Amino acid sequence: MSTQAAQEGDLAAVIGLEVHVQLETETKIFCGCSTEPTEEPNTNVCPVCLGLPGALPVLNEGAVEAAVKVGKAIDADIPEETRFHRKNYYYPDLPKNFQITQYDEPICRDGELEVSVEGERRTVRIRRAHLEEDPGSLQHVGGGIDTATHTRVNYNRAGTPLMEIVTKPDFRRPAEARAFLAKLEEVLEYLGVFDSQRDGSLRVDANLSIIPEAEIDAEDGSISEETLANANRTEVKNISSHKGAETALAYEETRQKNLIRRGKGVAQETRHFNETHGSTVSMRSKEAEKDYRYFEEADLPPLQVSDWKERIPIPELPDARRERFKAEYGLDDESASKLTSTKQVADFYENVAEEFDPDLAATWVADNLLGELNYRDMEITEIEGRLDEFTRLVELVAADEITTKNAEEIVLRRMLDEGEQPDDIVEAEGLGKTDDDAVAQAVSEAIAENPEAVADYEDGDDGAINFLVGQVMGKTGGSADPGTVNGLLREELDG
């Protein structure tokens, strides 16, 4: 792309992602070392994952099953045979000085994932997805990668099963990349092959080029291979979150467009994302594609996977479950989306909906429970074992034994904060609903004791009724239903 041509027209970003996903298995991909995180560095290691002479890899079947599930979820082509290769390069976190990965025969090809960006549905094409081993982790001491005084290496992560998912350059805005990562993570968690809470479980390399907008086909948004080949590409590393991807790409898009508009060229390079500052810094030039001297891994035979796609099932995925919730439970789009945000939330809701009206269950799970959990920075997984207690709380409301207000503001909050049982809270706080005669008595007393509010109401100040409702609620200890009180007050005042 010439600078002059770019300056004469509008500029557009072309973005592709390489997503590195840690697969959830009990042991590493080529040895029996545990994948459980540990505080002690270099303890979950053995001769295989440390690359010691004579140590031979043995493929973890669970990693292959997880990869096949991902392939089915993204509607990818899973070939009859796949094989592993050695990717040769030197870096301190790579103890063997090569990485066992897949080259020209990956386990998944030509998949796709549909995402929603600002209400618009789009299909993102996935070029390939392959298995490999994760390197170790580096701890930069005294600063970031560009300012640290020294770096420590922890090989506990080395050999953890990794799946690299490579998209085609189908993104035009950083927000689209963020939406794709969120959707991909949602699907992976539904499959049960990924844990988003694990540190470093999802890492992203983002590739961004700037081209003239006129080079993009107006009808289908496609870009010619020639245009892509002529555009300088910047690769941004060290991205570990959806938000981080959007921030890094937004910064990089602005930086490159500003360079072009000032008549300067964009260097083809690899850059490091500084999450603290929300910026990128140059790491190394990328004048040509590096030659990793791939050759076949002689210690691992080709793997026949032609029948795996048929015999390995996958669960109902989020989009399908969302549509089922709308059809089966009559939920609107917003509620269905909230209740299928994770598999755990969806399972929790369905358990509650088995006992109560689906709308009541949706209100209590999607609005009340998730709202309180979000406020406390808690996950629903932390209370999955308390389903019976939550169901009992909803039962108390459904049976009209306590008010919705008290259930939300007192009982639910105490359950989450103190771990108490709902019936114990109701008894201790005297939250059982006041009987009708007691409520009627409280209404009469509130009217008699507050003549000014009564006069205001009779003069047309409808807000005065709220004051009187508050007085009645105080007299009943909050155990009366506010709606019932409001109706009784109006009935007596208007009678």
Side-chain angles (χ1 to χ4, degrees), residues 182-198:
K183 179 61 176 291
L184 176 63
E185 188 172 294
E186 181 182 60
V187 169
L188 293 170
E189 289 196 315
Y190 263 75
L191 292 173
V193 302
F194 172 75
D195 180 6
S196 63
Q197 301 304 307
R198 179 171 290 196

Side-chain angles (χ1 to χ4, degrees), residues 79-131:
E80 291 190 7
E81 181 178 282
T82 185
R83 64 183 66 216
F84 289 88
H85 289 75
R86 292 186 181 185
K87 180 180 181 181
N88 294 274
Y89 66 97
Y90 172 77
Y91 208 64
D93 60 7
L94 198 67
K96 294 193 292 288
N97 293 334
F98 65 84
Q99 180 189 37
I100 300 179
T101 182
Q102 296 186 301
Y103 180 46
D104 56 351
E105 298 180 69
I107 195 165
C108 301
R109 286 184 184 275
D110 300 326
E112 61 183 33
L113 191 65
E114 191 177 74
V115 300
S116 177
V117 185
E118 297 176 356
E120 178 186 350
R121 304 291 291 183
R122 286 198 49 212
T123 298
V124 176
R125 297 170 299 166
I126 296 172
R127 191 189 307 277
R128 58 182 282 149
H130 62 262
L131 281 168

Side-chain angles (χ1 to χ4, degrees), residues 29-102:
I29 188 168
F30 299 121
C31 67
C33 291
S34 173
T35 57
E36 276 299 306
T38 175
E39 296 288 330
E40 292 296 320
N42 299 309
T43 53
N44 284 352
V45 294
C46 72
V48 175
C49 54
L50 288 177
L52 299 184
L56 298 176
V58 177
L59 182 58
N60 183 340
E61 183 177 352
V64 180
E65 290 184 351
V68 170
K69 287 180 179 179
V70 175
K72 292 181 69 171
I74 62 174
D75 197 25
D77 176 31
I78 298 175
E80 291 190 7
E81 181 178 282
T82 185
R83 64 183 66 216
F84 289 88
H85 289 75
R86 292 186 181 185
K87 180 180 181 181
N88 294 274
Y89 66 97
Y90 172 77
Y91 208 64
D93 60 7
L94 198 67
K96 294 193 292 288
N97 293 334
F98 65 84
Q99 180 189 37
I100 300 179
T101 182
Q102 296 186 301

Side-chain angles (χ1 to χ4, degrees), residues 403-467:
T403 66
T404 299
K405 179 181 176 66
N406 284 341
E408 293 174 5
E409 297 181 3
I410 299 176
V411 182
L412 179 58
R413 293 174 184 177
R414 284 265 292 272
M415 287 171 64
L416 296 175
D417 293 337
E418 308 297 335
E420 297 179 63
Q421 298 284 332
D423 286 296
D424 293 341
I425 300 168
V426 170
E427 183 177 354
E429 297 296 327
L431 300 179
K433 271 196 173 181
T434 307
D435 62 53
D436 293 344
D437 290 343
V439 174
Q441 178 64 30
V443 166
S444 298
E445 291 176 1
I447 291 173
E449 294 169 4
N450 296 279
E452 291 183 5
V454 171
D456 289 341
Y457 176 77
E458 290 174 344
D459 288 340
D461 181 4
D462 200 60
I465 202 75
N466 295 328
F467 172 80

Side-chain angles (χ1 to χ4, degrees), residues 180-397:
F180 171 81
L181 291 171
K183 179 61 176 291
L184 176 63
E185 188 172 294
E186 181 182 60
V187 169
L188 293 170
E189 289 196 315
Y190 263 75
L191 292 173
V193 302
F194 172 75
D195 180 6
S196 63
Q197 301 304 307
R198 179 171 290 196
D199 185 45
S201 59
L202 185 144
R203 306 187 298 279
V204 182
D205 296 340
N207 297 284
L208 184 143
S209 302
I210 299 297
I211 65 170
E213 199 168 83
E215 297 289 341
I216 301 175
D217 189 285
E219 292 187 8
D220 61 11
S222 63
I223 303 170
S224 71
E225 292 296 329
E226 182 181 2
T227 297
L228 291 173
N230 291 332
N232 278 358
R233 175 168 57 88
T234 296
E235 181 181 33
V236 183
K237 290 183 173 291
N238 190 46
I239 302 173
S240 58
S241 67
H242 316 156
K243 181 180 178 182
E246 183 176 21
T247 302
L249 288 166
Y251 176 89
E252 197 54 27
E253 179 181 6
T254 300
R255 184 188 73 86
Q256 292 189 32
K257 285 182 175 179
N258 286 340
L259 284 172
I260 294 169
R261 286 168 178 152
R262 293 201 303 267
K264 299 181 179 181
V266 176
Q268 185 153 295
E269 61 182 343
T270 298
R271 297 179 69 86
H272 173 84
F273 175 53
N274 186 318
E275 190 167 3
T276 302
H277 299 125
S279 61
T280 68
V281 295
S282 180
M283 290 176 63
R284 56 182 176 268
S285 64
K286 202 178 182 73
E287 294 301 327
E289 290 298 322
K290 187 172 180 180
D291 181 10
Y292 290 108
R293 297 182 295 113
Y294 286 96
F295 59 85
E296 190 172 334
E297 173 56 72
D299 294 329
L300 291 169
L303 180 65
Q304 304 298 320
V305 290
S306 55
D307 64 331
W308 288 51
K309 189 171 183 178
E310 299 302 322
R311 68 180 178 83
I312 295 177
I314 62 172
E316 184 181 35
L317 296 177
D319 282 352
R321 200 166 195 182
R322 199 166 292 132
E323 292 305 312
R324 179 169 66 80
F325 275 21
K326 289 159 62 176
E328 185 173 330
Y329 299 119
L331 302 180
D332 57 31
D333 285 335
E334 183 179 0
S335 295
S337 294
K338 284 183 181 179
L339 291 169
T340 54
S341 57
T342 71
K343 184 176 185 299
Q344 292 81 4
V345 169
D347 289 344
F348 197 96
Y349 167 72
E350 291 219 81
N351 283 321
V352 178
E354 285 180 2
E355 305 292 332
F356 305 102
D357 174 77
D359 284 335
L360 178 65
T363 297
W364 271 93
V365 177
D367 299 331
N368 300 338
L369 179 59
L370 292 185
E372 294 294 336
L373 290 175
N374 289 337
Y375 177 77
R376 290 161 176 77
D377 197 26
M378 293 173 64
E379 300 290 334
I380 201 162
T381 51
E382 298 177 57
I383 64 157
E384 282 178 307
R386 301 178 66 188
L387 173 65
D388 289 345
E389 297 173 37
F390 183 78
T391 301
R392 174 56 181 159
L393 172 59
V394 180
E395 182 181 20
L396 289 171
V397 175

